[in-house]
């Protein structure tokens, strides 16, 4: 079996006859250190070209070349550009975002051996990636018998491992150069950095002489990586500052208006299950980021909550449950200690969600000193409960930042018949900053994540 990889930037909208791996490494602005020195750790940007040549089932080799990107591009922009250039069939795929933590055991990185990587939840991400891709193929009417007919699960895992290894190596090389170019005042103490690594599988392009279903079964495997934040001196990154959130509501408060908004879960018209992580969501969610209605400047709204009408009620608002954020899972701690989060298949089973649920179970079994005692309940929190004052704390989870507190939840103000859109928000819930259960929960979540991570020294 033979795999051949071709690459150019911008991405080629061309035909492929085999599994492909594209790897991107993005540069962010120079990362400021925690030191009193003004020296910055300057991290280079790379595009990595990979060739997987398999002469037989037992012999696979990977050669990697790197070059600097011509422009800065986020993982989201990267996936949107792929869809734009390659179309809705071959440019849309399943993806996952993996947290990778670099550790400099000696306080600096003089060479690659000084850097150790923790890859969080690799098996979890690979399993969800496979399931998401299978669901995407089913939505495109590709028979199950064709899925990965040229690639076994073991070969898929090996390809992803090689992809991740190449990206981590590129990141390590960049860190080594940055540290070697930094003065010695920076090289004191132990340092940690987090890398945001995205793996994308899209249906391969096909030759016109081949059956389209057979060609669709071969995934094009690509990767993108960027550092997420500056170096830190503790393996535990601090809980981020609280954010505000807004409900995804149309100006018209009706079931039809709600159904017309972008959403991941729709039990009546769902093409791909909400448990699948599909790259098309990158552009489909943009209307819900409108600064005139949802992410209003000055309100610190960093997340928008997706809603579902789950029951009949006297008012439309009272009939709504809150499912998840645009890019995060949602947890609400009620005043009685119940911790509610929407169940699958209504939401994406995120990795940090998985860690929090395990942490809550562990804290309950260990008799953690929490008042009230936290008890997991896989039911979606409701808007009615928020407005009735039943919520105590709110937080969202993501693969990179893990746990993020939410201090305010707003609802967009509706439009009157004689005015234009009013960008002001209606506050439906405000957290009490003196109450927090998140420190202990975050510590347990972080430790479980470290225990599940796989270590890699290049």
């Amino acid at each position: 079996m033979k795999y051949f990889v071709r690459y150019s930037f911008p991405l080629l909208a061309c035909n492929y006859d085999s599994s492909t791996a594209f790897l991107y490494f993005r540069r962010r602005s120079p990362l400021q250190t925690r030191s009193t020195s003004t020296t910055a750790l300057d991290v280079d940007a790379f595009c990595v070209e990979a060739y997987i040549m398999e002469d037989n089932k037992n012999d696979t080799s990977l050669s990697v070349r790197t070059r600097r990107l011509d422009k800065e591009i986020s993982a989201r922009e990267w996936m949107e550009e792929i869809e734009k250039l390659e179309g809705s069939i071959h440019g849309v795929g399943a993806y996952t975002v993996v947290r990778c933590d670099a550790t400099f055991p000696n306080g600096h990185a003089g060479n690659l051996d000084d850097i150790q990587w923790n890859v969080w939840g690799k098996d979890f991400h690979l399993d969800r990636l496979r399931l998401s891709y299978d669901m995407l193929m089913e939505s495109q009417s590709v028979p199950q018998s064709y899925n990965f007919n040229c690639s076994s699960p073991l070969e898929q895992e090996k390809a992803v491992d090689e992809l991740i290894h190449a990206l981590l190596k590129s990141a390590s090389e960049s860190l080594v150069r940055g540290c070697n170019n930094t003065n010695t005042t920076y090289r004191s103490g132990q340092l940690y950095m987090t890398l945001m690594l995205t793996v994308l599988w899209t249906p391969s392009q096909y030759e016109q002489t081949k059956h389209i279903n057979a060609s669709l079964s071969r995934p094009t495997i690509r990767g993108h990586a960027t550092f997420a934040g500056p170096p830190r001196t503790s393996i535990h990154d601090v809980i981020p500052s609280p954010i505000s959130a807004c409900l995804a509501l149309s100006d018209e408060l009706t079931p039809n208006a709600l159904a017309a908004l972008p959403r991941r879960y729709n039990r009546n018209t769902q093409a791909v299950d909400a448990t699948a992580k599909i790259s098309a969501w990158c552009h489909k969610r943009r209307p819900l980021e409108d600064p005139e209605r949802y992410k209003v400047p000055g309100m610190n709204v960093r997340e928008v909550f997706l809603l579902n009408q789950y029951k009949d009620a006297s008012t439309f608002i009272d009939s709504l449950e809150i499912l998840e954020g645009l890019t995060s899972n949602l947890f609400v701690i009620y005043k009685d200690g119940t911790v509610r989060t929407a169940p699958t298949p209504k939401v994406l089973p995120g990795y940090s969600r998985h860690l929090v649920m395990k942490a809550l179970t562990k804290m309950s079994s260990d008799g953690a000193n929490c008042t009230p005692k936290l008890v997991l309940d896989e039911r979606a929190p409701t808007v009615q409960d928020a407005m009735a004052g039943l919520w105590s704390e709110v937080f969202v989870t993501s693969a990179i930042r893990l746990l993020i507190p939410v201090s305010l939840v707003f609802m967009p103000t509706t439009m009157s018949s004689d005015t234009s859109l009013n960008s002001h928000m209606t506050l439906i819930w405000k957290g009490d900053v003196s109450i927090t259960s998140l420190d202990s929960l975050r510590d347990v979540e972080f430790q479980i994540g470290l225990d599940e991570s796989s270590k890699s020294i290049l």
Side-chain angles (χ1 to χ4, degrees), residues 47-214:
C47 169
V48 180
E49 182 179 47
Y51 295 83
I52 304 176
M53 307 298 296
E54 190 171 313
D55 297 326
N56 56 61
K57 293 184 178 180
N58 298 316
D59 182 20
T60 301
S61 60
L62 176 69
S63 61
V64 179
R65 295 197 299 266
T66 64
R67 74 181 181 96
R68 195 180 293 265
L69 280 175
D70 296 330
K71 63 179 180 179
E72 182 174 326
I73 184 170
S74 68
R76 179 185 186 177
E77 294 165 335
W78 169 70
M79 287 186 284
E80 287 180 310
E81 186 170 358
I82 289 172
E83 181 177 355
K84 180 180 178 181
L85 292 174
E86 299 185 11
S88 60
I89 297 296
H90 300 292
V92 172
Y95 77 102
T96 193
V97 178
V98 185
R99 173 176 172 141
C100 303
D101 287 341
T103 302
F104 308 24
N106 299 318
H108 69 284
N111 55 66
L112 295 184
D113 293 338
D114 291 332
I115 301 175
Q116 177 177 295
W117 288 95
N118 284 331
V119 181
W120 288 56
K122 186 184 70 174
D123 291 341
F124 178 98
H125 287 289
L126 182 58
D127 288 343
R128 191 182 63 187
L129 196 56
R130 287 193 187 111
L131 291 172
S132 296
Y133 188 82
D134 284 345
M135 284 187 273
L136 178 64
M137 292 295 92
E138 289 172 6
S139 73
Q140 295 177 345
S141 301
V142 178
Q144 184 69 28
S145 60
Y146 283 109
N147 283 353
F148 291 121
N149 67 337
C150 297
S151 178
S152 70
L154 185 60
E155 290 170 333
Q156 299 159 25
E157 182 176 1
K158 186 172 184 178
V160 171
D161 282 345
E162 296 283 13
L163 185 92
I164 292 175
H165 182 273
L167 283 171
L168 295 184
K169 183 179 180 181
S170 295
S172 295
E173 291 170 346
S174 185
L175 287 174
V176 167
R177 279 192 292 272
C179 287
N180 288 337
N181 292 332
T182 305
N183 64 34
T184 55
T185 60
Y186 177 78
R187 297 180 180 179
S188 59
Q190 196 152 343
L191 294 176
Y192 306 87
M193 285 193 71
T194 295
L195 187 76
M196 174 180 171
L197 192 152
T198 303
V199 180
L200 173 67
W201 289 1
T202 57
S204 294
Q205 300 279 4
Y206 59 92
E207 296 178 358
Q208 297 298 326
T209 58
K210 293 185 177 180
H211 193 288
I212 184 171
N213 286 341

